Structure formats: structure tokens, C-alpha cells
Amino acid sequence: MSLLLLRLVLAPALVVGVSLAARRWGATAGGVLTALPVVNGPVLLVIALDHGTAFGSRAATASLLGLLSLAAFVVAHAAAARRLPPLLALAAGWAGFGVATAALSPTHVPVGAAYALVLAGAALAWGAVGRIAGGAAAPPVGPPPRGDLPVRAAAAAILVLALTLAAGALGPHLSGLLAPFPVAASVLLGFTHAQRGATEAAVMGRGLLVGFLGFGAFNALVALELVPLGVAGAFALAAGVSVAVQALVLGARIVGRVRENAAPCPSPASRGS
């Protein structure tokens, strides 16, 4: 029950915060923030508290590997969003996540190898999404609908409830693989697709993949330090490093966006030269 309540608070809060950040700093920044371990972090925390640090460490390693399934979700959603309406595109993304999870289920690798695989997979997925969305023009959009943020928060809460009720008793490996299920990402990409088009959703998805640098570091540090440091020490270290990495990535994006907006537009004469 404590896990459910925590996720019911944190997941909608993340969705609302990221939605506001994306409107302020762009879809890429929103995607990076979506990769904060606000949803899967509490899952690993409760697993470690309920089953011990050794069990939690194995779950965190599997959760790190499970980011490859999240990358598969982003690619499948981007491909489907070009041709399908938002709900069907989400279904295609979830199918991609499920297929990847099934393929990864028998896979057990050390933490370092898992992190390397995740970064390589994120880079490949980032390029794939760019090719999928390349050349597509974003449609003109107006202001978001009234009541948009509460609806997004409610959708995140419903997803959390559905996943928690369906979870059942799982071992550490499968629990970890399923921990990165795209709760917040589903809501954010789905609403972005519906309101701003497939291209903007793909941009947010690429931002999420960039955020794997910090997201993966969180899972890797929990896996490595849970036994020697204990629950409090490992999660504090992992959360601090993850937030610091994401802040650096986000800061670089914001600075780049400010410079883009501040750059003078070329004059008609210079464009013709």
C-alpha cells in the first residue's frame, strides 16, 4: 500500500512538472526530465525494504537492463505515431516494451556491461527516432486545452493503479525489468502526439533517451552500492548523482535554446547572398 500511495503521488507530479517544463524549455528538456527515476525509484526502494539488499541489488541490475525496453517503447511509438492515432501509437509502444522485456528476461549481465548496453541502445534508438521523424514538419499548434494538466495527472494515476494491481508476485529479475515501464512517458508522449503532432512527440522521446545517462546511473549505483552502503546510503547516493547528471544535461539544453532564440535572424539580403 505504501508503494502504491507513493507512486500515486509521484507519477502525476512528475507528469505535471514535465509538462510545464516542456512548455517553457521545449520538448527535448521535457524528455530529459521524464528520465528522472521518480516512478521506478520507489519500486526499487520498496523491493529492497521488503526483500533485502541482495534481492534489491539484483532487481536494480535488471531495472538498468530494462531501460533497453524503454528505448524500444520510444522507437516503436515514434514509428507508429507517424501513421496511427495517439492511443494506437501508445499500444504499439507498449508492445515494443513487452517484446523487448520478453527478449531480455533470460539475460543476466554484470552492472557495468548492462550500463554500457543501455548507453549503446539509447544512442541507436536516438538515431532511429531521428530518422523516423526526419523531414516531417510539426503542425501549427495553439495553447493547450483548459484542464489539460489535471487530465494528464489522472491518466498517470490510472496507469499506476493498473500496473500495481497487475503486478503480482514476481522475482527480482522480472520485477526489475518491469520497473522502468513507461508510466510518465506514456502520458507525456501520448498527449504531446495528440496536441502537437508526431514530430514533437519524437523530439520528446529523443530527450528521454538522452536522459538515460542519469537514469542508468541511478540504477547502476543502487545495484552496486545497495549491499555495502545499505538502503538509505545507496538510494541517497544514486538519487544525488542522477539529479546532478540530469541537471547538467538539462542546463546544457536550456543554454542552447536560449542561444538559439537570441541569435539574430538573417536579413533578406544575407539569405540571398
Side-chain angles (χ1 to χ4, degrees):
M1 183 61 68
S2 60
L3 171 61
L4 176 59
L5 291 176
L6 190 61
R7 295 182 76 191
L8 283 174
V9 171
L10 291 177
L14 176 67
V15 165
V16 171
V18 169
S19 299
L20 293 173
R23 293 171 190 175
R24 177 85 168 103
W25 296 311
T28 299
V32 172
L33 287 173
T34 306
L36 286 169
V38 171
V39 179
N40 88 310
V43 175
L44 295 177
L45 176 60
V46 172
I47 287 174
L49 290 173
D50 287 349
H51 301 284
T53 55
F55 189 104
S57 178
R58 295 195 300 273
T61 303
S63 180
L64 173 60
L65 200 59
L67 293 183
L68 292 171
S69 299
L70 185 54
F73 163 83
V74 173
V75 174
H77 179 271
R82 296 294 302 276
R83 300 178 297 276
L84 299 176
L87 286 178
L88 291 180
L90 276 180
W94 293 336
F97 182 93
V99 169
T101 300
L104 291 168
S105 182
T107 304
H108 296 264
V109 295
V111 176
Y115 192 38
L117 285 172
V118 164
L119 294 183
L124 291 172
W126 190 87
V129 174
R131 288 190 295 274
I132 291 168
V141 294
R146 292 184 62 184
D148 173 65
L149 292 179
V151 174
R152 291 184 182 216
I158 290 169
L159 271 177
V160 167
L161 274 173
L163 288 171
T164 303
L165 293 174
L170 302 172
H173 190 65
L174 188 54
S175 296
L177 286 174
L178 293 176
F181 185 88
V183 172
S186 294
V187 176
L188 291 161
L189 293 185
F191 274 81
T192 300
H193 178 199
Q195 295 174 1
R196 305 183 69 86
T199 299
E200 191 80 355
V203 171
M204 181 171 282
R206 294 182 98 196
L208 172 59
L209 292 167
V210 171
F212 276 24
L213 188 64
F215 202 172
F218 174 86
N219 288 283
L221 285 170
V222 170
L224 290 171
E225 303 299 336
L226 194 54
V227 173
L229 294 184
V231 173
F235 276 88
L237 174 63
V241 170
S242 176
V243 169
V245 171
Q246 303 299 54
L248 289 172
V249 174
L250 181 60
R253 172 57 188 167
I254 293 172
V255 169
R257 188 175 177 86
V258 169
R259 288 177 177 173
E260 289 172 6
N261 293 336
C265 296
S267 65
S270 64
R271 284 198 299 265
S273 61

